[in-house]
Amino acid sequence: MLDGHFLSTVEVEVFRMLCGDRIAAGSSRAVYQCAYDDGLVVKIENGAQSFQNIAEWQVWQDAQFMPHALDWLAPCVSISPCGLVLIQKKTEPAKRFPEKLPVWLTDTKRANYGMIGRRFVCHDYGTHLMCNSGLSKRLRKVEWWDE
């Protein structure tokens, strides 16, 4: 049987192996540069019980079968069994923002979007209206906002 001190040491070591610098934080999770791959980020839930990692993972899984939805999302790479840790492709800041978005992308804060190559994507889609509207092809005019 492993003692508590050993387990907490392992937790710290695993965190350090997986997570580099913290690059963002919100009300329900923190985002870290992935320590072993500059093209990835690690999102860690903070216990607020918002389950945004799970929501993003589920949307990403559904989008695999809908190219019109897939094009709007930063890919999710892996999720921990309980959903507290999500690994996602990293985006770069966007300089231009489209006039329209799919109706199910409801959080139009500029910081939630970025670029993967030449593709404009949402990298923070843990809150959405997919359950209400599905991953519809329908677009709507957007009013962008900053923090």
Side-chain angles (χ1 to χ4, degrees), residues 97-102 105-113 120 139-147:
F97 292 79
E99 288 185 22
K100 294 183 177 184
L101 285 177
L105 284 175
T106 55
D107 191 346
T108 57
K109 181 169 64 171
R110 291 178 192 269
N112 292 343
Y113 296 82
F120 181 86
L139 301 177
R140 66 177 172 80
K141 191 160 177 67
V142 174
E143 289 189 33
W144 294 100
W145 60 282
D146 296 304
E147 290 186 281

Side-chain angles (χ1 to χ4, degrees), residues 12 24 31 73-74 78 89 91 126-127 137:
V12 170
V31 182
L73 304 174
S78 185
K89 292 280 188 178
T91 65
T127 56
K137 292 181 182 181

Side-chain angles (χ1 to χ4, degrees), residues 24-44:
S27 61
S28 66
R29 53 192 176 165
V31 182
Y32 297 86
Q33 175 64 51
C34 181
Y36 65 84
D37 186 334
D38 288 344
L40 301 174
V41 296
V42 181
K43 297 180 173 187
I44 300 179

Side-chain angles (χ1 to χ4, degrees), residues 3-96:
D3 68 29
H5 174 71
F6 180 75
L7 286 176
S8 63
T9 301
V10 170
E11 289 171 357
V12 170
E13 291 295 312
V14 169
F15 179 84
R16 288 181 180 157
M17 287 179 66
L18 183 61
C19 298
D21 294 337
R22 188 172 87 173
I23 55 177
S27 61
S28 66
R29 53 192 176 165
V31 182
Y32 297 86
Q33 175 64 51
C34 181
Y36 65 84
D37 186 334
D38 288 344
L40 301 174
V41 296
V42 181
K43 297 180 173 187
I44 300 179
E45 296 260 356
N46 66 11
Q49 297 182 335
S50 66
F51 307 108
Q52 288 185 27
N53 284 348
I54 293 169
E56 280 184 2
W57 181 258
Q58 289 175 326
V59 170
W60 176 249
Q61 296 307 304
D62 290 344
Q64 303 299 302
F65 304 101
M66 302 174 194
H68 68 276
L70 191 66
D71 289 343
W72 288 101
L73 304 174
C76 293
V77 175
S78 185
I79 193 168
S80 65
C82 64
L84 290 178
V85 180
L86 176 73
I87 298 176
Q88 187 179 64
K89 292 280 188 178
K90 184 178 182 182
T91 65
E92 296 301 324
K95 293 183 173 93
R96 294 182 16 211

